[in-house]
């Protein structure tokens, strides 16, 4: 099965919390049909979703996500 590594950003932390909750619902629904390794986490307005990722890759991806989330400005640029 293919792996999914998804870094997302949202307009603000409240939207990030909503996205995290939605991702957790999808992961929970998916686990009922076909259990597979999944992970969801949020840092501020950034959300990480991992599906079917090899165990050896999980920590390097999480470190990359931490760096990504830490580098985000508090809000997206406005045109």
């Amino acid at each position: 099965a293919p792996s999914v590594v998804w870094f997302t950003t949202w307009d603000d932390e409240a939207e990030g919390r909503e996205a995290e909750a939605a991702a957790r619902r999808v992961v929970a629904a998916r686990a009922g049909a076909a259990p597979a390794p999944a992970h969801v986490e949020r840092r501020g307005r950034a959300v990480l979703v991992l599906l079917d990722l090899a165990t050896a890759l999980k920590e390097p991806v999480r470190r990359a996500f931490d760096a990504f989330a830490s580098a985000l400005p508090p809000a997206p640029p406005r045109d």
Side-chain angles (χ1 to χ4, degrees):
S3 297
V4 173
V5 175
W6 192 16
F7 292 17
T8 65
T9 60
W10 302 88
D11 287 342
D12 55 41
E13 198 164 336
E15 288 187 7
R17 283 191 298 272
E18 289 177 26
E20 176 189 22
R24 289 187 186 285
R25 286 191 302 272
V26 168
V27 164
R30 184 176 177 271
H39 178 80
V40 177
E41 71 179 83
R42 183 181 57 81
R43 297 277 187 272
R45 62 188 190 91
V47 177
L48 169 65
V49 179
L50 302 177
L51 300 174
D52 301 325
L53 188 66
T55 302
L57 296 176
K58 186 175 178 183
E59 282 309 310
V61 169
R62 289 185 70 212
R63 283 193 302 273
F65 175 72
D66 284 341
F68 168 80
S70 296
L72 285 175
R78 302 284 184 212
D79 291 335

